[in-house]
Amino acid sequence: MSRRLTLVLGGVRAGKSRYAQELAREGGRVLYVATAEAGDSEMAARIEAHRAERPRGWATLEEPVDLVTALTPLVPDVDTVLLDCLTLWVSNLLLQDPDHEATPDHIQTQARRLIELYERGDASWIVVSNEVGLGVIPATRLGRDYADALGRVNQQFAAAADEVIMMFAGLPVNLKTRGLESR
């Protein structure tokens, strides 16, 4: 399997993580990268459910913010990186700056660094993210800043990706394919 970057997009409960895990099962030595933090009991339950769904043989990295630093020493030893998800990672980065002033450029830079880490390596990456641009414009500045930041990061990853899959009600729709053999 040659190195590929696959972006899996969709709304909440669209089947993104399940689909990404199905792809990763074909990927040899897998590193699952989780960006969620358990801020409340409901999120803690979601995190536990995701942990239980992962195959036991996969390595796991739980890192909410500094992905490039945490991933750099690990990526050379795996065949596939499954990053779940950009949605929470962007949120975590945004919330680090309480005034939300310098964050857009910082988030764009961190996303570019993450893509460059993929480009320097031999591992395939499967990256999960929510598509938040299909709903109403958020009523708060923080909500608008978040939607803008995640939309830009999704665009960065989609531009770099070999394959972009949009999930609707558990069904994958291929939006972009570059050199992909039929599955």
Side-chain angles (χ1 to χ4, degrees):
M1 182 172 166
S2 62
R3 178 182 72 121
R4 303 191 57 72
L5 175 58
T6 302
L7 176 62
V8 180
L9 294 169
V12 174
R13 295 285 185 239
K16 300 177 303 295
S17 294
R18 178 191 46 77
Y19 183 79
Q21 286 185 25
E22 287 173 12
L23 291 178
R25 287 180 199 278
E26 304 168 10
R29 298 167 300 163
V30 177
L31 172 62
Y32 186 99
V33 182
T35 61
E37 291 184 292
D40 58 32
S41 60
E42 188 270 338
M43 190 57 155
R46 282 181 182 236
I47 290 170
E48 283 306 314
H50 273 272
R51 285 178 181 149
E53 292 170 357
R54 287 179 220 145
R56 295 201 187 276
W58 289 3
T60 299
L61 169 66
E62 294 182 353
E63 174 53 52
V65 177
D66 195 0
L67 292 178
V68 172
T69 301
L71 280 167
T72 297
L74 302 176
V75 170
D77 296 327
V78 298
D79 302 308
T80 302
V81 173
L82 193 169
L83 172 55
D84 194 357
C85 67
L86 292 178
T87 312
L88 293 171
W89 178 63
V90 168
S91 175
N92 296 338
L93 287 170
L94 188 64
L95 293 174
Q96 280 190 321
D97 178 12
D99 297 324
H100 313 297
E101 296 297 330
T103 348
D105 288 339
H106 175 68
I107 292 171
Q108 294 282 150
T109 299
Q110 294 308 307
R112 180 73 235 149
R113 290 182 62 222
L114 198 53
I115 292 167
E116 288 169 353
L117 179 60
Y118 157 75
E119 290 171 342
R120 287 191 308 267
D122 294 325
S124 288
W125 285 36
I126 303 163
V127 179
V128 176
S129 189
N130 283 41
E131 174 53 67
V132 297
L134 298 174
V136 297
I137 297 172
T140 65
R141 178 176 177 207
L142 177 59
R144 289 186 300 274
D145 287 350
Y146 173 71
D148 289 347
L150 183 58
R152 288 183 186 110
V153 167
N154 285 345
Q155 288 182 48
Q156 283 179 275
F157 273 84
D162 298 294
E163 181 177 31
V164 177
I165 301 295
M166 183 71 172
M167 297 297 297
F168 293 101
L171 300 174
V173 177
N174 193 328
L175 302 178
K176 175 184 177 182
T177 301
R178 192 169 32 208
L180 182 66
E181 300 169 335
S182 62
R183 286 193 199 275

